[in-house]
Short mmCIF file of all heavy atoms in Angstrom, two decimals:
data_model
loop_
_atom_site.label_atom_id
_atom_site.label_comp_id
_atom_site.label_asym_id
_atom_site.label_seq_id
_atom_site.Cartn_x
_atom_site.Cartn_y
_atom_site.Cartn_z
N ALA N 166 12.17 8.03 5.18
CA ALA N 166 12.35 9.45 5.46
C ALA N 166 11.54 9.93 6.66
O ALA N 166 12.03 10.71 7.48
CB ALA N 166 11.98 10.27 4.22
N ARG N 167 10.29 9.48 6.76
CA ARG N 167 9.39 10.02 7.79
C ARG N 167 9.45 9.24 9.11
O ARG N 167 9.17 9.81 10.17
CB ARG N 167 7.95 10.02 7.28
CG ARG N 167 7.70 10.96 6.13
CD ARG N 167 7.71 12.42 6.59
NE ARG N 167 7.46 13.31 5.47
CZ ARG N 167 8.41 13.90 4.74
NH1 ARG N 167 9.69 13.67 5.02
NH2 ARG N 167 8.09 14.70 3.73
N LEU N 168 9.76 7.94 9.03
CA LEU N 168 9.66 7.10 10.22
C LEU N 168 10.97 6.41 10.58
O LEU N 168 11.03 5.67 11.56
CB LEU N 168 8.57 6.04 10.03
CG LEU N 168 7.15 6.60 9.85
CD1 LEU N 168 6.22 5.54 9.32
CD2 LEU N 168 6.62 7.17 11.16
N GLY N 169 12.02 6.63 9.79
CA GLY N 169 13.30 6.01 10.09
C GLY N 169 13.35 4.52 9.85
O GLY N 169 14.19 3.81 10.43
N THR N 170 12.46 4.01 8.99
CA THR N 170 12.44 2.58 8.69
C THR N 170 13.73 2.19 7.96
O THR N 170 14.13 2.85 7.00
CB THR N 170 11.22 2.22 7.83
OG1 THR N 170 10.04 2.72 8.50
CG2 THR N 170 11.09 0.72 7.63
N ARG N 171 14.36 1.12 8.44
CA ARG N 171 15.67 0.73 7.90
C ARG N 171 15.64 -0.59 7.14
O ARG N 171 16.51 -0.84 6.30
CB ARG N 171 16.68 0.64 9.05
CG ARG N 171 16.91 1.97 9.74
CD ARG N 171 17.76 1.82 10.99
NE ARG N 171 19.06 1.22 10.70
CZ ARG N 171 19.96 0.95 11.64
NH1 ARG N 171 19.70 1.20 12.91
NH2 ARG N 171 21.14 0.44 11.32
N ALA N 172 14.71 -1.47 7.46
CA ALA N 172 14.70 -2.80 6.83
C ALA N 172 13.26 -3.28 6.69
O ALA N 172 12.37 -2.87 7.44
CB ALA N 172 15.50 -3.79 7.67
N ALA N 173 13.04 -4.14 5.70
CA ALA N 173 11.70 -4.65 5.45
C ALA N 173 11.78 -6.10 5.00
O ALA N 173 12.79 -6.55 4.45
CB ALA N 173 10.99 -3.81 4.38
N VAL N 174 10.69 -6.82 5.24
CA VAL N 174 10.58 -8.21 4.79
C VAL N 174 9.21 -8.38 4.14
O VAL N 174 8.22 -7.80 4.58
CB VAL N 174 10.76 -9.20 5.97
CG1 VAL N 174 9.67 -9.03 7.02
CG2 VAL N 174 10.80 -10.64 5.47
N ALA N 175 9.17 -9.16 3.06
CA ALA N 175 7.92 -9.54 2.42
C ALA N 175 7.76 -11.05 2.58
O ALA N 175 8.70 -11.81 2.33
CB ALA N 175 7.95 -9.17 0.94
N LYS N 176 6.57 -11.46 3.02
CA LYS N 176 6.28 -12.89 3.21
C LYS N 176 5.30 -13.30 2.12
O LYS N 176 4.15 -12.87 2.11
CB LYS N 176 5.69 -13.12 4.61
CG LYS N 176 6.67 -12.72 5.71
CD LYS N 176 6.07 -12.91 7.10
CE LYS N 176 7.08 -12.49 8.19
NZ LYS N 176 6.51 -12.65 9.55
N ILE N 177 5.78 -14.13 1.20
CA ILE N 177 5.04 -14.43 -0.02
C ILE N 177 4.68 -15.91 -0.06
O ILE N 177 5.55 -16.78 0.09
CB ILE N 177 5.89 -14.11 -1.28
CG1 ILE N 177 6.46 -12.69 -1.22
CG2 ILE N 177 5.08 -14.33 -2.54
CD1 ILE N 177 5.44 -11.60 -1.21
N GLY N 178 3.40 -16.20 -0.27
CA GLY N 178 2.96 -17.58 -0.43
C GLY N 178 3.66 -18.23 -1.61
O GLY N 178 3.88 -17.60 -2.65
N ARG N 179 4.03 -19.49 -1.44
CA ARG N 179 4.82 -20.17 -2.48
C ARG N 179 4.07 -20.35 -3.79
O ARG N 179 4.68 -20.59 -4.83
CB ARG N 179 5.34 -21.50 -1.94
CG ARG N 179 6.45 -21.26 -0.93
CD ARG N 179 7.00 -22.50 -0.27
NE ARG N 179 8.04 -22.10 0.69
CZ ARG N 179 8.42 -22.84 1.73
NH1 ARG N 179 7.88 -24.04 1.93
NH2 ARG N 179 9.36 -22.39 2.55
N ALA N 180 2.74 -20.23 -3.76
CA ALA N 180 1.96 -20.31 -4.99
C ALA N 180 1.91 -18.98 -5.73
O ALA N 180 1.42 -18.90 -6.86
CB ALA N 180 0.54 -20.77 -4.67
N ASN N 181 2.44 -17.91 -5.10
CA ASN N 181 2.32 -16.57 -5.66
C ASN N 181 3.64 -16.16 -6.33
O ASN N 181 4.40 -15.34 -5.82
CB ASN N 181 1.94 -15.58 -4.54
CG ASN N 181 1.49 -14.23 -5.07
OD1 ASN N 181 1.71 -13.92 -6.23
ND2 ASN N 181 0.85 -13.46 -4.22
N ALA N 182 3.88 -16.75 -7.49
CA ALA N 182 5.15 -16.51 -8.20
C ALA N 182 5.29 -15.06 -8.64
O ALA N 182 6.39 -14.51 -8.68
CB ALA N 182 5.25 -17.43 -9.41
N ALA N 183 4.17 -14.40 -8.97
CA ALA N 183 4.24 -13.02 -9.45
C ALA N 183 4.76 -12.10 -8.35
O ALA N 183 5.59 -11.21 -8.61
CB ALA N 183 2.87 -12.56 -9.93
N SER N 184 4.29 -12.28 -7.12
CA SER N 184 4.76 -11.44 -6.02
C SER N 184 6.23 -11.72 -5.69
O SER N 184 6.99 -10.80 -5.38
CB SER N 184 3.90 -11.64 -4.77
OG SER N 184 2.67 -10.97 -4.90
N ALA N 185 6.61 -12.98 -5.75
CA ALA N 185 8.01 -13.32 -5.50
C ALA N 185 8.91 -12.63 -6.53
O ALA N 185 9.96 -12.06 -6.20
CB ALA N 185 8.21 -14.83 -5.55
N ALA N 186 8.49 -12.64 -7.81
CA ALA N 186 9.27 -11.99 -8.86
C ALA N 186 9.31 -10.48 -8.65
O ALA N 186 10.33 -9.83 -8.91
CB ALA N 186 8.68 -12.32 -10.23
N LEU N 187 8.20 -9.91 -8.17
CA LEU N 187 8.15 -8.47 -7.92
C LEU N 187 9.20 -8.06 -6.88
O LEU N 187 9.98 -7.13 -7.11
CB LEU N 187 6.75 -8.09 -7.41
CG LEU N 187 6.63 -6.72 -6.74
CD1 LEU N 187 6.74 -5.61 -7.77
CD2 LEU N 187 5.32 -6.61 -5.97
N PHE N 188 9.23 -8.77 -5.74
CA PHE N 188 10.13 -8.36 -4.67
C PHE N 188 11.58 -8.74 -4.97
O PHE N 188 12.49 -7.95 -4.71
CB PHE N 188 9.68 -8.96 -3.33
CG PHE N 188 8.55 -8.18 -2.72
CD1 PHE N 188 7.23 -8.57 -2.88
CD2 PHE N 188 8.81 -7.03 -1.99
CE1 PHE N 188 6.19 -7.84 -2.33
CE2 PHE N 188 7.78 -6.29 -1.43
CZ PHE N 188 6.46 -6.69 -1.61
N GLU N 189 11.79 -9.92 -5.54
CA GLU N 189 13.16 -10.36 -5.78
C GLU N 189 13.76 -9.72 -7.03
O GLU N 189 14.91 -9.26 -7.01
CB GLU N 189 13.21 -11.89 -5.90
CG GLU N 189 14.62 -12.46 -5.86
CD GLU N 189 14.63 -13.98 -5.78
OE1 GLU N 189 13.65 -14.62 -6.22
OE2 GLU N 189 15.63 -14.52 -5.27
N GLY N 190 12.98 -9.66 -8.09
CA GLY N 190 13.50 -9.12 -9.34
C GLY N 190 13.27 -7.62 -9.49
O GLY N 190 14.19 -6.86 -9.77
#
Side-chain angles (χ1 to χ4, degrees):
R167 294 287 181 266
L168 297 165
T170 307
R171 297 172 58 182
V174 62
K176 299 178 180 180
I177 309 297
R179 288 177 181 158
N181 193 344
S184 283
L187 164 72
F188 280 96
E189 192 172 26

